[in-house]
Amino acid sequence: MGEMAHKIEDKGFSYIDINMGCPVPKTMSTTQKIRLGIIGIGNMGSGHAGNIVSGKCPDFELCAVADINPARLEWAKTALPNAKTFSNAEEMLDSGLIEACMICVPH
């Protein structure tokens, strides 16, 4: 797990690997969608976002995205109008809008 994943856990968020079939953490209710944020809305992040908003991961609702690239944030505002955009991950994590976070940054 990378540095950002540790920061996310330190803030009390669940670490979810959405590539494992969109699992719902056992501590969360399955009667409501999990409010998800994505850090990094480039190639991988936008692909995951598309899967979520198209209903391929029905347990999740995309509520926020964060990226340091202004061009990607502008794209997100148009392509993902229901998700609030943030210019850095810390602001998104502190916003209270999300319950879980996906990290989609280059490694």
Side-chain angles (χ1 to χ4, degrees):
M1 221 175 4
E3 180 182 336
M4 184 55 73
H6 287 293
K7 285 184 181 181
I8 288 169
E9 285 190 336
D10 289 346
K11 291 184 177 283
F13 292 94
S14 295
Y15 182 75
I16 299 170
D17 185 349
I18 201 163
N19 293 315
M20 301 300 292
C22 302
V24 176
K26 292 179 181 167
T27 58
M28 296 181 149
S29 167
T30 58
T31 59
Q32 294 181 354
K33 291 186 177 196
I34 297 167
R35 297 185 323 261
L36 181 70
I38 297 178
I39 299 172
I41 199 70
N43 290 334
M44 291 302 295
S46 61
H48 288 308
N51 287 335
I52 293 164
V53 299
S54 71
K56 291 182 180 175
C57 298
D59 295 319
F60 294 92
E61 173 186 5
L62 184 60
C63 294
V65 297
D67 202 300
I68 60 172
N69 183 336
R72 295 309 301 162
L73 289 179
E74 286 304 313
W75 173 86
K77 288 176 184 176
T78 302
L80 309 166
N82 294 328
K84 181 162 175 50
T85 57
F86 293 89
S87 60
N88 70 64
E90 294 288 333
E91 289 177 7
M92 183 181 74
L93 294 171
D94 291 337
S95 72
L97 294 176
I98 63 172
E99 298 169 302
C101 183
M102 180 184 300
I103 304 169
C104 298
V105 297
H107 47 95

